[in-house]
Amino acid sequence: MTATVPSGNAPALRRSPGRLMLRRFLRHRLAVASTVLVFVIIALAVFAGAVAGVDPDATDLGATRQGPSAAHWLGTDTVGRDVFSRLLHAGRVSLLVGVLAALLAVALGTVLGTIAGYFGGWIDGLVMRLADVFMSFPSLVVIIVLAGIIGPSVPTLVIAIGLFQWPVCGRLVRGVTLSLREQEYVLASRATGSSPAWLIRKHLVPAVLPAVSVAATLAVAQAIGLEATMSFLGLGVQAPAASWGNMLTDAQSLTVVRTMPWLWLPPGLAVAVTVLAVNFIGDGLRDAVDPRQS
């Protein structure tokens, strides 16, 4: 005879950690709505050419600084370029900088934090003092200096932002690793002769990924904000390439701020809404991975 599992245990069997995390995340309505909104923003940026239907760099000196109309939904800028088209194409650059900088920060933080937490001792002390050094400097000032020395560009932004964001993720991963390295399954693997590299790759890194996902979303939001700040100051993405930050440079004129809000309000709202939405997603992920929420 074949043994069968009582049907009353079926719901319990389906309550895997992944399903519980998903359920807790879906309870966070702002996080769910923000996820949908971020996907919409990404889709608009990816398919900007098809959605806008206008070359973002095409100039029309006979239609400069015109307000929103049927021909130009968000008006035109100082050289007659369509603001709506530039806004969508600028989203590609701003989102790309945010995601790449966050990936660099998370990769460095995960590797260094795991190594520090697993080995401890002088290695832990060295990595944490290195993190203290990076956190002791005001990141915005250092990024401005680097952009002035190396030259403003997208790679410079990505590297500079990523290098100054890794300590946050690194400290988080170190704390999780310190608790995991004393777990029975890790101790059993060490007793059987598993190498540290294998243990870190197979056991520790997968275990810290939920916490890392929260740090990654917050890093994306911060990187988008830093890119906008640097580009606004003229030390980020350079014209004619469009980013939300360098579209805001028109707001440096008081006349433009007062009489032509279509030149600065759309990119400003794009930065604010995207950063806020990503932060809400991070809040939802934090609640989902926190066992106290179960």
Side-chain angles (χ1 to χ4, degrees), residues 36-247:
V36 175
L37 178 59
V38 168
F39 274 112
V40 171
I41 293 172
I42 293 173
L44 289 174
V46 171
F47 301 104
V51 175
V54 180
D55 185 353
D57 297 324
T59 60
D60 184 0
L61 298 180
T64 61
R65 295 188 173 184
Q66 291 185 351
S69 63
H72 303 285
W73 290 0
L74 294 179
T76 59
D77 64 6
T78 54
V79 292
R81 295 174 297 191
D82 186 81
V83 174
F84 179 68
S85 178
R86 288 182 64 77
L87 181 72
L88 297 186
H89 284 83
R92 293 181 180 178
V93 178
S94 296
L95 292 172
L96 181 65
V97 171
V99 171
L100 290 181
L103 286 176
L104 176 60
V106 167
L108 286 175
T110 301
V111 172
L112 294 177
T114 306
I115 292 174
Y118 179 79
F119 289 103
W122 68 270
I123 296 179
D124 183 21
L126 177 63
V127 174
M128 288 300 100
R129 297 298 75 75
L130 183 63
D132 290 339
V133 169
F134 276 92
M135 296 183 72
S136 65
F137 289 99
S139 59
L140 182 59
V141 174
V142 176
I143 294 172
I144 290 175
V145 173
L146 288 176
I149 296 174
I150 303 174
S153 65
V154 171
T156 301
L157 273 180
V158 170
I159 294 173
I161 294 173
L163 286 178
F164 280 90
Q165 283 189 328
W166 77 263
V168 177
C169 180
R171 286 182 175 275
L172 176 64
V173 171
R174 171 185 175 269
V176 176
T177 305
L178 285 173
S179 62
L180 289 175
R181 71 177 186 178
E182 303 301 329
Q183 297 292 322
E184 293 181 357
Y185 69 94
V186 176
L187 295 175
S189 296
R190 293 172 63 180
T192 57
S194 299
S195 66
W198 188 89
L199 274 171
I200 291 174
R201 187 176 69 253
K202 293 295 185 179
H203 288 315
L204 297 182
V205 171
V208 302
L209 285 181
V212 168
S213 65
V214 178
T217 56
L218 301 179
V220 169
Q222 187 175 4
I224 291 174
L226 283 172
E227 181 278 321
T229 302
M230 294 296 296
S231 297
F232 175 77
L233 295 174
L235 295 171
V237 179
Q238 298 296 295
S243 78
W244 290 335
N246 66 19
M247 289 183 69

